[in-house]
Amino acid sequence: MKVPSVDLRAQYARLRGEMQEAIHEVLESQGFILGPKVEALETEIASYCHTAYAVGVASGTDALLLGLRAVGIERGDEVITSPFTFFATAGAIYNAGGVPVFVDIDPVTFNLDPGQIEARMTPRTKALIPVHLFGQPADMEPILEITGRRGVKVLEDAAQSIGAEYCLQGSWHKAGSMADLGCISFFPSKNLGGLGDGGMVVTNDKHLRDQVMLLRMHGGRTKYVHEIVGYNSRLDALQAAALSVKLKYLDEWCNARRLRAGIYDSLMAQAGLGGNVRGPVIQSYAKSVFNQYVVRVERRDELQKFLQGRGVSTAVYYPIPLHLQACFKYLGYKEGDFPASEAACHEVLALPMYPELTPAMQEYVVAQLSEFYIP
Ligand SMILES: *Cc1c(COP(=O)(O)O)cnc(C)c1O
């Protein structure tokens, strides 16, 4: 049996008619940059994320970059984040002129360990980016307490977790809506994926909304009048039209992912794989949207090859922690600085996860895991 790690064609097969109609409308209008489709999506995403505002930008990476510029990051400002995340989180800090400062993760959730944040803060710490990795929100309550007390801005990297929720002071909040601003990605393999690159900044702060709107249009409100130096970073109408169609299905897809995560959990428990394959742990404060279903295993690389041979595609997010990337050598980190992140890089494996994954496929995947570990 062949089990891909994602299957976007299966999703498209169901949406073909609606998607083609939406794209056709944009083609007939010949309006491609911003415009009514983008404004409509911004309203829909703000409402979905329970924020006052949303601003469409060219990618999730740019949502972070423009967000950092909007909160006032300047050359030399320190920005704390996790070394166990997609490169864009730290890349955006660098490109905004900031200095990435890493704090290790909680080995159970893979998210920033709030207990280690304060020790890394200095008078130059200006912002912090918690990453809601694999679909599970980071532990925001202690993060917001520490940053609030120290006057540090917070940008949520919600690129993998639109729709996820966190229980903050007794009530549930959407990922991206709890801090100064939230950054969403519409990269095709994210839970809400476009037809190419796209992203959005969500916020309750009108000033930050206005800043991101300025920054995405070369720093100008009026044509040829520039208040600040910004970027060309806009969401286009084709993306917005496609995303508006898909947004209607997002909750259904998130529930389908949760259901499949539960199926993996129980199949692995039944197979007695507990000692070899440790499934994701979702904390009681979080509702994950399982952008990925990531297990920790021994002999990871050997297992990945074995599974590939059996037709099961998997992925390693992420093989190298950011503090050990060549481009960040100048920051002076070394191996051993963040043991939980380094261990995760050696042990994680993302199993196939998408709403159209069938029970038979999941049984097949777990059967292969059993054959590898319990021959
Ligand atoms: C995907 C992703 C990004 C970047 O989003 P793009 O739309 O690909 O630019 C940023 N952070 C994390 C954690 C991501 O997974």
Side-chain angles (χ1 to χ4, degrees):
M1 188 185 276
K2 282 254 182 287
V3 189
S5 51
V6 283
D7 187 356
L8 294 174
R9 275 181 297 186
Q11 186 193 68
Y12 180 61
R14 181 178 162 199
L15 303 180
R16 183 173 280 116
E18 268 185 287
M19 293 278 275
Q20 290 186 349
E21 199 178 307
I23 289 162
H24 184 74
E25 264 183 57
V26 177
L27 289 180
E28 287 302 320
S29 80
Q30 289 291 303
F32 297 113
I33 306 292
L34 298 176
K37 292 278 186 202
V38 173
E39 279 165 31
L41 181 72
E42 287 172 341
T43 305
E44 290 159 15
I45 294 283
S47 144
Y48 184 84
C49 291
H50 300 161
T51 57
Y53 310 105
V55 185
V57 294
S59 66
T61 303
D62 276 7
L64 289 160
L65 174 63
L66 274 59
L68 284 162
R69 289 277 315 269
V71 303
I73 293 305
E74 287 173 359
R75 197 148 300 281
D77 287 342
E78 293 176 1
V79 181
I80 292 175
T81 195
S82 163
F84 188 65
T85 173
F86 179 56
F87 181 76
T89 318
I93 296 170
Y94 176 94
N95 283 327
V99 180
V101 173
F102 298 115
V103 166
D104 209 359
I105 55 166
D106 164 2
V108 174
T109 61
F110 302 115
N111 283 326
L112 214 51
D113 179 355
Q116 299 189 44
I117 290 173
E118 214 151 6
R120 301 270 169 179
M121 284 185 160
T122 76
R124 287 162 69 187
T125 306
K126 192 84 181 272
L128 184 146
I129 308 181
V131 182
H132 305 318
L133 205 66
F134 305 143
Q136 171 165 229
D139 193 2
M140 291 301 289
E141 194 157 313
I143 288 174
L144 292 172
E145 190 278 317
I146 298 161
T147 50
R149 187 153 42 72
R150 317 243 328 196
V152 167
K153 300 281 182 195
V154 180
L155 299 87
E156 294 173 61
D157 183 338
Q160 300 182 5
S161 53
I162 184 171
E165 291 179 64
Y166 177 85
C167 188
L168 184 64
Q169 287 158 351
S171 62
W172 290 96
H173 292 257
K174 293 275 187 176
S177 71
M178 292 171 274
D180 292 287
L181 56 83
C183 303
I184 292 166
S185 165
F186 302 128
F187 186 77
S189 66
K190 303 292 160 85
N191 284 17
L192 180 62
L195 310 175
D197 283 310
M200 204 163 272
V201 171
V202 291
T203 182
N204 288 311
D205 184 323
K206 185 164 185 311
H207 170 71
L208 293 179
R209 191 271 307 245
D210 291 345
Q211 284 301 110
V212 175
M213 286 185 80
L214 263 184
L215 287 162
R216 76 175 172 179
M217 292 262 278
H218 290 300
R221 262 173 257 267
T222 317
K223 247 187 184 175
Y224 312 124
V225 181
H226 304 275
E227 296 166 39
I228 53 176
V229 179
Y231 308 86
N232 172 5
S233 181
R234 295 166 299 220
L235 188 67
D236 61 61
L238 278 170
Q239 297 305 334
L243 289 161
S244 283
V245 170
K246 288 196 179 188
L247 181 59
K248 292 182 286 183
Y249 300 94
L250 183 58
D251 281 338
E252 184 192 322
W253 290 336
C254 290
N255 286 331
R257 286 170 181 272
R258 289 187 184 114
L259 187 70
R260 279 149 187 77
I263 293 174
Y264 270 139
D265 290 346
S266 49
L267 286 173
M268 292 197 298
Q270 277 164 31
L273 278 164
N276 302 102
V277 183
R278 286 174 286 159
V281 177
I282 306 307
Q283 300 293 0
S284 57
Y285 58 64
K287 292 183 193 165
S288 176
V289 290
F290 290 98
N291 179 241
Q292 301 296 340
Y293 183 90
V294 173
V295 298
R296 301 187 80 133
V297 295
E298 274 162 33
R299 298 190 284 142
R300 192 261 322 271
D301 295 344
E302 216 185 308
L303 172 66
Q304 188 177 30
K305 274 205 197 87
F306 175 85
L307 291 174
Q308 194 60 53
R310 298 296 177 92
V312 177
S313 293
T314 57
V316 174
Y317 307 115
Y318 297 93
I320 305 170
L322 298 186
H323 67 287
L324 300 180
Q325 295 286 352
C327 64
F328 290 138
K329 212 170 163 142
Y330 74 97
L331 294 171
Y333 293 106
K334 58 183 189 317
E335 202 157 346
D337 283 348
F338 304 111
S341 298
E342 292 168 23
C345 289
H346 287 118
E347 296 171 3
V348 291
L349 192 67
L351 300 184
M353 170 53 81
Y354 48 92
E356 297 80 9
L357 192 68
T358 66
M361 285 168 151
Q362 291 192 273
E363 277 164 28
Y364 179 76
V365 172
V366 175
Q368 307 317 306
L369 291 172
S370 301
E371 263 198 59
F372 183 80
Y373 285 111
I374 319 168

